[in-house]
């Protein structure tokens, strides 16, 4: 899941993405871009991420954990 | 048309209340589409001006019958048609609307409800836990209010308010750490709608709303002013679907805060680089500038792909809520999209100045709307006087007296007015952090949360690169303990909306610079941009 997550993030992040990377501080994303990325994960995994969950997704690891808990493989 | 002074527009009816706006539209264009919004993933629902009026009458009659008049009614939820019906039903039944940010943590929502003497709440089901356990509060979900319309009176006469009656209480971040409730009257709203719409012509039929309704800019300008123009308004319910909704909406005009403009620009440039079309873009800009000098405008054809990102019809972006870098104004103009920068503050309903369709100056926030005066104090502060000025802060006469002096609203912004009446802003007197998404953040509020921790000796919160930074001078035994402060940052961020979260902690090994009374001098300690 981590590899798939990083692959999607690489589409959006403009120089290393690891599990500990903070989306805003380390990867330079704005809060709006984080929201757009969540939409990309929704499309990729066919899930609905409630708007209220988005503020809790601060690192790459947070996204991986959320996907592992909510995506049926 | 040359860039020079020209008469005010007279394209929207002059109104005195929201009730009147709804009545006039239902009377003059009942079958025209008022709102469009996504229903489920793929369907678009439409409501005509006539349908909106009918729904509001039934909902307002139900609200009056059930709760009476004079209540303060909180409205909490994501942007939606149902949110707006709850708002309209509240303000046209003799009640006062209190829009509250759905992203706030529950304890803050409860604090605002108490502070504003709210007795009833209309709330989206997804956020109903925010008001659980609030004593004495009657509440109803948007869905139940909609169902209750069946019990409403279809012939209900919407309330005709007195001008000075309050219509809403909008919360805004204060410099002293706690939100203040800005009380606006029916006259304030009418002056805003009438004044701003005489400055600007949408020159189209479709608009797109993405700004949150609990903000004065998102509600009073993006929705109410647009409604009075009689255009079709597409409501974006989730920021996750802005791109797709924009393609569905095909707007002629949108109201945005600068952050959206920056993100759109970044998205456009990323695509151009990815497709290897950078050279083509530069060539296109040179060609279109040359043609413009000859009086030929081919920008929409030359930059067709860029226009398609916005649905293909976009002519104007009205930008407000925060400072916009003139770079974006110039680059979007090259593409054939005009960004009209304005100035607003919740305390002035909110828009008090705007650049006009054909009379504008880059770097300026425009000319003041009719009926309002602007002056610059001896300290350089921008001050406004006019019918858009708020009644005051709710139950806060002392703070009100600090900003409303002899009818002049003191903005805390520093600026000047040129010979053509254009207002330019050059800085701020207050500590408030204004992010490019238009959100105001009180640094003291966040500093207080850090201060309660034993490891923090001194702390200063400021904005850098559009994120919030907390700089800390630790107690001696915690010097250099980065891990501890990373954990503390997470603790402070818990439950906060994204825009209020601290993104970075910086540790320092010397005290902050202070004045003679040992107070930290903010501007001397904050890294200059």
């Amino acid at each position: 899941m981590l590899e798939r997550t990083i692959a999607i993030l690489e589409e959006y992040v403009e120089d290393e993405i690891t599990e500990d990377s903070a989306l805003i501080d380390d990867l330079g994303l704005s809060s709006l871009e984080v929201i757009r990325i969540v939409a990309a994960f929704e499309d990729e995994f066919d899930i609905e991420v409630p708007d209220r969950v988005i503020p809790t997704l601060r690192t790459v690891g947070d996204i991986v954990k959320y996907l592992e808990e909510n995506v049926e493989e | 048309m040359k860039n020079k002074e020209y008469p005010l527009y007279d394209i929207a009816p002059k109104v005195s209340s929201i009730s009147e706006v709804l009545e006039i539209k239902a009377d003059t264009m009942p079958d025209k589409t008022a709102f469009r919004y996504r229903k489920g993933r793929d369907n678009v629902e439409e409501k005509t001006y006539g349908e909106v009026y009918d729904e509001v009458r039934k909902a307002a009659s139900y609200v009056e019958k059930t709760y009476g008049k004079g209540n303060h009614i909180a409205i909490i939820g994501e942007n939606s048609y149902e949110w707006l019906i709850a708002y309209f039903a509240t303000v046209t039944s003799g009640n006062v609307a209190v829009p509250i940010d759905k992203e706030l943590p529950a304890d803050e929502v409860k604090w605002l409800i108490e502070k504003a003497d709210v007795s009833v709440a209309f709330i989206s089901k997804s956020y109903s836990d925010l008001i659980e356990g609030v004593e004495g509060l009657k509440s109803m979900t948007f869905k139940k209010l909609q169902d209750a319309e069946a019990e409403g009176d279809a012939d209900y006469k919407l309330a005709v308010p007195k001008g000075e009656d309050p219509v809403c209480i909008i919360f805004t971040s204060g410099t002293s750490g706690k939100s203040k409730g800005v009380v606006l009257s029916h006259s304030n709203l009418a002056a805003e709608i009438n004044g701003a719409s005489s400055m600007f012509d949408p020159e189209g039929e479709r608009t797109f709303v993405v700004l949150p309704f609990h903000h004065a800019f998102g509600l009073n300008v993006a929705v109410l002013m647009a409604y009075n123009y009689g255009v079709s308004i597409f409501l974006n319910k989730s920021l996750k679907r802005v791109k797709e909704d924009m393609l569905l909406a095909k707007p002629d005009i949108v109201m945005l805060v600068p952050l959206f403009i920056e993100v759109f620009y970044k998205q456009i440039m990323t695509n151009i680089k990815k497709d290897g079309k950078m050279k083509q873009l530069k060539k296109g800009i040179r060609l279109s500038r040359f043609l413009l000098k000859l009086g030929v405008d081919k920008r929409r054809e030359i930059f067709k792909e860029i226009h398609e990102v916005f649905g293909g019809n976009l002519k104007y972006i009205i930008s407000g809520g925060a400072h916009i870098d003139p770079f974006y104004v110039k680059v979007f103009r090259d593409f054939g999209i005009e960004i009209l920068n304005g100035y607003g503050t919740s305390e002035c309903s909110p828009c008090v100045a705007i650049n006009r369709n054909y009379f504008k100056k880059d770097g300026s926030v425009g000319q003041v709307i009719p009926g309002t005066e602007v002056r610059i104090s001896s300290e350089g502060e921008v001050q406004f006087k006019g019918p858009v000025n708020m009644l005051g802060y709710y139950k806060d006469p002392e703070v009100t007296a600090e900003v409303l002096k002899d009818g002049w609203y003191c903005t805390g912004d520093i600026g000047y007015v040129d010979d053509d009446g254009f207002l330019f802003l050059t800085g701020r007197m207050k500590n408030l952090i204004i992010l490019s998404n238009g959100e105001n953040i009180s640094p003291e509020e966040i500093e207080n949360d850090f201060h309660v921790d034993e490891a923090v000796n001194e702390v200063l919160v400021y904005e850098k690169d559009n994120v919030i930074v907390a700089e800390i001078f630790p107690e001696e035994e915690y010097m250099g303990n980065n891990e501890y402060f990373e954990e503390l940052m997470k603790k402070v961020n818990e439950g906060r909306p994204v825009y209020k979260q601290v993104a970075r902690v910086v540790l320092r090994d010397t005290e902050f610079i202070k004045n003679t009374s040992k107070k930290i001098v903010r501007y001397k300690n904050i890294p200059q941009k």
Side-chain angles (χ1 to χ4, degrees):
Chain A
M1 193 61 87
L2 176 62
E3 281 161 16
R4 288 177 76 182
T5 301
I6 289 175
I8 292 172
L9 284 170
E10 279 172 344
E11 293 279 306
Y12 291 87
V13 174
E14 281 196 333
D15 297 330
E16 189 193 355
I17 304 176
T18 68
E19 194 161 10
D20 295 330
S21 302
L23 301 173
I24 290 176
D25 196 22
D26 296 333
L27 303 182
L29 296 165
S30 72
S31 53
L32 265 186
E33 287 170 315
V34 171
I35 291 168
R36 281 289 305 142
I37 287 169
V38 169
F41 280 105
E42 283 187 339
D43 295 341
E44 175 73 16
F45 294 100
D46 197 23
I47 53 170
E48 180 83 35
V49 182
D51 284 359
R52 300 186 70 174
V53 168
I54 298 174
T56 66
L57 305 175
R58 302 191 71 246
T59 66
V60 174
D62 292 339
I63 295 179
V64 172
K65 190 171 167 227
Y66 182 83
L67 293 173
E68 283 171 346
E69 288 170 0
N70 292 279
V71 174
E72 291 172 20
E73 285 295 347
Chain B
M1 196 160 172
K2 284 183 176 168
N3 191 27
K4 62 176 187 182
E5 189 84 69
Y6 64 101
L8 294 171
Y9 294 109
D10 186 14
I11 49 179
K14 296 287 179 270
V15 294
S16 60
S17 69
I18 298 300
S19 295
E20 192 179 10
V21 172
L22 292 162
E23 281 162 4
I24 289 175
K25 291 299 149 194
D27 196 35
T28 55
M29 47 179 71
D31 299 324
K32 189 173 176 183
T33 300
F35 293 114
R36 298 164 68 215
Y37 50 93
R38 190 192 284 268
K39 191 100 174 164
R41 276 234 169 160
D42 302 312
N43 298 320
V44 173
E45 185 106 335
E46 297 195 352
K47 296 284 183 180
T48 65
Y49 281 96
E51 287 172 327
V52 174
Y53 182 56
D54 290 344
E55 279 196 51
V56 171
R57 290 170 90 182
K58 286 187 270 189
S61 78
Y62 176 83
V63 170
E64 189 192 333
K65 193 171 69 180
T66 311
Y67 304 111
K69 294 184 173 197
N71 297 288
H72 290 185
I73 300 182
I75 303 174
I76 307 169
E78 64 280 11
N79 278 13
S80 66
Y81 177 70
E82 293 76 18
W83 193 108
L84 289 172
I85 291 296
Y87 170 84
F88 285 141
T90 298
V91 303
T92 61
S93 61
N95 291 290
V96 178
V98 185
I100 292 180
D101 183 355
K102 65 184 175 12
E103 291 194 34
L104 294 173
D107 56 352
E108 205 165 328
V109 169
K110 283 166 191 160
W111 186 84
L112 295 178
I113 282 173
E114 280 172 27
K115 164 115 177 157
D117 290 329
V118 167
S119 56
V120 180
F122 295 137
I123 191 161
S124 159
K125 193 180 171 191
S126 339
Y127 292 90
S128 51
D129 60 294
L130 288 176
I131 56 168
E132 271 171 16
V134 179
E135 228 168 280
L137 181 71
K138 295 168 220 160
S139 70
M140 184 178 249
T141 63
F142 293 156
K143 175 80 174 70
K144 280 190 176 161
L145 177 62
Q146 217 169 13
D147 293 343
E149 284 172 20
E151 300 169 38
D153 175 2
D155 297 321
Y156 177 74
K157 182 89 183 74
L158 300 184
V160 180
K162 288 180 190 155
E164 67 272 22
D165 288 347
V167 64
C168 64
I169 299 174
I170 290 183
F171 281 100
T172 181
S173 279
T175 52
S176 54
K178 279 293 184 187
S179 296
K180 298 169 294 187
V182 172
V183 185
L184 297 180
S185 69
H186 286 273
S187 281
N188 287 151
L189 266 193
E192 172 69 9
I193 291 170
N194 297 334
S197 59
S198 64
M199 296 286 279
F200 172 73
D201 180 352
E203 293 183 6
E205 286 295 323
R206 281 172 294 217
T207 177
F208 178 72
V209 180
V210 63
L211 300 172
F213 294 160
H214 68 270
H215 270 200
F217 187 30
L219 182 61
N220 299 355
V221 179
V223 176
L224 301 180
M225 187 173 98
Y227 197 94
N228 195 46
Y229 277 129
V231 297
S232 164
I233 303 166
F234 194 104
L235 305 172
N236 167 262
K237 293 172 85 164
S238 168
L239 293 178
K240 287 180 296 189
R241 299 292 158 195
V242 169
K243 193 176 156 190
E244 295 86 340
D245 281 1
M246 192 78 102
L247 296 176
L248 279 174
K250 301 184 187 312
D252 303 289
I253 164 184
V254 291
M255 279 83 167
L256 296 175
V257 290
L259 178 63
F260 278 95
I261 295 167
E262 292 162 18
V263 168
F264 278 127
Y265 171 76
K266 210 167 152 183
Q267 187 189 327
I268 289 166
M269 297 315 281
T270 302
N271 290 342
I272 285 171
K273 280 178 196 162
K274 212 182 274 180
D275 298 343
K277 291 182 174 175
M278 206 59 202
K279 225 172 176 176
Q280 204 177 324
L281 175 76
K282 286 177 178 169
K283 204 171 150 186
I285 289 174
R286 280 200 301 271
L287 174 64
S288 77
R289 283 180 182 172
F290 174 72
L291 290 172
L292 275 176
K293 280 180 183 167
L294 301 175
V296 179
D297 187 354
K298 290 287 180 192
R299 290 174 295 178
R300 301 188 83 79
E301 289 91 329
I302 294 171
F303 302 111
K304 193 166 181 284
E305 280 180 45
I306 290 172
H307 281 267
E308 281 168 359
V309 171
F310 301 101
N313 296 323
L314 190 65
K315 275 194 278 193
Y316 292 108
I317 296 173
I318 292 187
S319 171
H323 168 75
I324 183 166
D325 188 328
F327 164 80
Y328 294 105
V329 177
K330 290 189 174 87
V331 82
F332 273 80
R333 183 176 297 144
D334 273 333
F335 298 155
I337 296 168
E338 197 62 54
I339 295 176
L340 297 174
N341 195 17
Y343 177 83
T345 169
S346 302
E347 288 85 345
C348 293
S349 304
C351 176
V352 264
I354 187 170
N355 278 284
R356 304 191 62 200
N357 300 54
Y358 303 105
F359 193 30
K360 51 194 174 262
K361 290 191 182 182
D362 291 352
S364 154
V365 293
Q367 295 171 299
V368 172
I369 66 172
T372 294
E373 298 171 66
V374 61
R375 74 177 184 189
I376 307 297
S377 76
S378 56
E379 293 173 312
E381 184 183 35
V382 179
Q383 302 179 344
F384 295 105
K385 186 180 201 173
V388 290
N389 283 15
M390 64 171 178
L391 297 177
Y393 296 121
Y394 187 66
K395 285 192 169 175
D396 213 339
E398 282 177 18
V399 183
T400 300
E402 286 171 18
V403 298
L404 275 180
K405 295 173 181 169
D406 299 328
W408 290 90
Y409 171 65
C410 307
T411 62
D413 284 314
I414 296 170
Y416 65 92
V417 179
D418 75 4
D419 292 343
D420 292 318
F422 280 84
L423 174 62
F424 290 80
L425 301 179
T426 53
R428 276 194 70 76
M429 297 171 78
K430 297 176 182 172
N431 296 337
L432 217 56
I433 295 170
I434 301 181
L435 297 174
S436 71
N437 64 358
E439 293 289 356
N440 296 354
I441 313 283
S442 158
E444 288 92 340
E445 181 187 351
I446 299 173
E447 286 162 6
N448 292 342
D449 285 351
F450 274 102
H451 255 307
V452 294
D453 192 277
E454 59 172 28
V456 176
N457 187 330
E458 295 174 349
V459 58
L460 196 65
V461 166
Y462 51 85
E463 174 262 334
K464 190 168 190 290
D465 301 332
N466 210 34
V467 296
I468 299 174
V469 176
E471 190 166 337
I472 294 173
F473 173 52
E475 292 290 353
E476 201 168 345
E477 60 269 39
Y478 290 92
M479 282 285 182
N481 189 344
N482 289 310
E483 262 177 41
Y484 181 89
F485 290 102
E486 283 293 321
E487 283 307 309
L488 177 59
M489 179 176 81
K490 283 179 188 166
K491 205 166 97 182
V492 167
N493 282 338
E494 257 169 40
R496 283 179 186 277
V498 174
Y499 64 83
K500 270 191 178 180
Q501 291 188 1
V502 177
R504 194 180 314 159
V505 165
V506 176
L507 298 186
R508 57 186 287 144
D509 50 15
T510 55
E511 285 185 29
F512 287 104
I513 301 166
K514 300 186 183 69
N515 62 16
T516 48
S517 55
K518 296 297 174 199
K519 278 186 75 174
I520 293 174
V521 184
R522 199 168 280 275
Y523 74 91
K524 282 187 176 173
N525 288 287
I526 294 175
Q528 295 304 302
K529 291 179 185 179

